Amino acid sequence: VNSNPYPVEVQIVTPGQVTSWRKTDTQGQLQNFSSGLTTGKRIDLDPGCKLRFVYAQPPTWKWMALN
């Protein structure tokens, strides 16, 4: 969950073994993705938005503020 009061960018450092993932906005609207991740993938998250990964091996990522 982006608990910051500003948008962030999530950058995938290592993709792990993700089989699917979901992005949920603050109104509860879901975007489902039936695919893995790639190194360098960037995902923007507004305040309160969530990511959920289904995996056999977890990915690693870093968060950066979007200014």
Side-chain angles (χ1 to χ4, degrees), residues 2-66:
N2 178 9
S3 58
N4 298 297
Y6 48 83
V8 296
E9 177 183 85
V10 177
Q11 184 177 23
I12 302 302
V13 178
T14 59
Q17 293 178 354
V18 173
T19 56
S20 63
W21 57 285
R22 172 189 303 173
K23 182 178 177 181
T24 308
D25 68 18
T26 56
Q27 282 74 43
Q29 296 293 321
L30 303 175
Q31 289 181 296
N32 292 303
F33 302 91
S34 298
S35 66
L37 300 171
T38 57
T39 300
K41 178 167 185 59
R42 296 169 187 256
I43 305 165
D44 293 344
L45 287 180
D46 287 328
C49 290
K50 305 173 188 176
L51 286 177
R52 180 172 184 259
F53 300 111
V54 176
Y55 57 83
Q57 180 180 353
T60 59
W61 60 85
K62 64 180 180 176
W63 295 57
M64 298 175 286
L66 290 176

